[in-house]
Amino acid sequence: MRRYYPQFHLKRSWFGDKLSFSGSLTTKMGSSYKIRIALPEYFPNQIPSIEPVGWKARGPHIYASGNLCVMKSEQWRPFYSVAFMVTRTAIWLNKFDVYRFKNYWPGKGQAH
């Protein structure tokens, strides 16, 4: 993770039972977004959640919780890494910027 995304840092919850990575990504349009990738209890057998930090996502491909939907949970595989999820999130954020400024989501979408 440090090799590909040095701006992300591992954090442990107050009680030490939850792990997450936090950092910022900048889009091609120049927007900067802080995110947290929360690792579930059974990681890597469960998909991490992608949480906006200090901003609220609006539009398609967002769960009711406010977390970003960068892929369906059934598409997750245990060999995927946190760096893979950061990359997926970077792609999502670039599409989100297009949505914010041009009011359409580029590329093919998947039904939720």
Side-chain angles (χ1 to χ4, degrees):
M1 184 70 173
R2 189 177 307 152
R3 177 180 177 189
Y4 297 106
Y5 295 103
Q7 74 274 29
F8 278 80
H9 302 283
L10 180 64
K11 297 189 178 196
R12 189 175 297 274
S13 69
W14 178 259
F15 296 105
D17 60 342
K18 304 226 182 212
L19 295 175
S20 64
F21 284 87
S22 295
S24 294
L25 292 169
T26 302
T27 65
K28 291 180 182 179
M29 294 178 131
S31 301
S32 184
Y33 298 96
K34 291 182 181 180
I35 62 162
R36 177 178 25 257
I37 299 177
L39 304 182
E41 181 180 358
Y42 297 106
F43 181 81
N45 295 313
Q46 292 177 318
I47 190 169
S49 61
I50 312 299
E51 306 166 0
V53 176
W55 61 282
K56 186 171 183 169
R58 298 182 189 272
H61 309 293
I62 301 164
Y63 293 110
S65 65
N67 292 345
L68 313 183
C69 178
V70 301
M71 68 187 304
K72 292 181 176 183
S73 60
E74 60 266 18
Q75 294 172 311
W76 176 257
R77 300 294 178 263
F79 55 84
Y80 291 157
S81 66
V82 175
F84 171 81
M85 289 303 280
V86 174
T87 301
R88 293 289 301 229
T89 303
I91 293 166
W92 190 98
L93 289 170
N94 277 283
K95 291 181 177 190
F96 178 68
D97 260 5
V98 171
Y99 177 79
R100 282 181 52 215
F101 294 110
K102 297 185 178 181
N103 205 30
Y104 76 92
W105 194 272
K108 293 182 180 181
Q110 297 182 34
H112 289 227

